[in-house]
Amino acid sequence: MCLAIPARIVELRSDDLAVVDLAGVKKEISLALVDNVVVGDYVIVHVGYALNKLDPEEAAKTLALFAELGQLDAPSAVH
Amino acid sequence: MKYIDEFRDGEVARGLAEAIRREANPERRYHFMEFCGGHTHAISRYGVSDLLPDNVKMIHGPGCPVCVLPIGRVDQAIRLALENGVTLCTYGDCLRVPASDSLSLLKAKARGGDIRMVYSSADAVALAQKNPDKQVVFFAIGFETTTPPTAVAIKQAATLGLKNFSVLCCHVLTPSAISSILESPEVRQWGTVPLDGFIGPAHVSTIIGSRPYEFFAEEYRKPVVIAGFEPLDVMQAIRMLIRQVNEGRAEVENEFSRAVDRDGNKKAQQLVAEVFEMRKNFEWRGLNILPYSALRIRSQFAEFDAEKRFPLDYQPVPDHKACECGAILRGVKRPQDCKLFGTVCTPENPIGSCMVSSEGACAAHYTYGRYKDV
């Protein structure tokens, strides 16, 4: 029920509609709940609606934190 | 897929598991509740519990909207289809929820009810547009993620001047359920479960932001870390919670900053406020009647309110006597503690609601963890 997925906007249509690409699968969704979305943005899609935009900088920061952890932990994983 | 695969990397998961092991104090035990069914699903599916040290335990909370939908509400939807002859539309997860008289929406459909599964509230509006001679009712359930789409559908129906579309509104509010976990008479009846912190909802928080949880951190001294639904997100949130507990802090932290900020989606909040208002009382499955815990349609949109359009008294119905969903939703019992689990109650034939949705604690354990202890 709560499972929503990040998807990339590939086309903007009239009436607050847009097309997203999910690993090659195209689907029309509603942009009624979000503002200022452009082609190329990632949005979290749930029951056919974009709930929010995904911030690529924040995503990169979280991944960088994970990567840093992986490196820090590499020596202890070997022992 | 981008923003999914990177958050499922096994190597990084091992690093995170090691970091958790190093930071968890072996002298103490940690009990964290993941509120969302999405987190429950991720923890079971990716075996996150197996990567945690023995003194860190995850408790499955009541954050699956299908699991907390009471029998009486499903009965109303069934009555609409079978007695009032409406075309009833709802999300797929609702179809198998057990109701009274051994019925479910799926079984009511087999008895001739016009019951349709829709992917989106917009599909229900489109169906009403295409069939002007039929009354179409959207059975709307869910937390703050599905509520804004229902608000959009009602506004759309109003703009189109549809006379044959209405909504049976069963939307519920996350903060109320967290309150009920922390303070309710049943906590005394069942005994309280030790809780050191919460993993806050992912997608609900994209809408409401992180601010509503600040109350729990301040008032109950419980740390809350909002986390995404991928396994690395959950593990990082557990690590952040352990750190807060170790340092004696109780704050709201946000692991899911790529989609959640403090204020949430104001446009969606505005739409919800325009169309809905608080209900004084609403019954939740397993949690009883909770005050100010759900929404109803405002009087200015009354013509789209199925409860006003059709004769629909609400009749509360007790759960099956042997079903432990109530205690499981509160984290007091585990699925395997229920006598019905895996015997008469299975995902194919659910007796209780926790077995229905893949996000329910029982269904998740049945699918991914059942043979772990054998």
Side-chain angles (χ1 to χ4, degrees), chain B residues 107-143:
Chain B
K107 288 177 185 163
K109 186 178 169 71
R111 286 194 187 175
D114 185 3
I115 293 163
R116 317 268 184 105
M117 184 182 99
V118 288
Y119 170 66
S120 164
S121 59
D123 295 345
V125 175
L127 199 65
Q129 265 183 297
K130 266 188 224 144
N131 299 279
D133 52 329
K134 286 283 287 187
Q135 282 294 328
V136 174
V137 178
F138 178 55
F139 181 31
I141 78 147
F143 287 96

Side-chain angles (χ1 to χ4, degrees), chain B residues 33 39 61 137 165 229 238 291 337:
Chain B
M33 176 177 275
H39 289 135
V137 178
F165 177 80
F229 278 150
I238 292 168
D337 298 329

Side-chain angles (χ1 to χ4, degrees), chain B residues 52 84 149 235 319:
Chain B
L52 300 177
N84 298 88
M235 293 184 73
D319 283 329

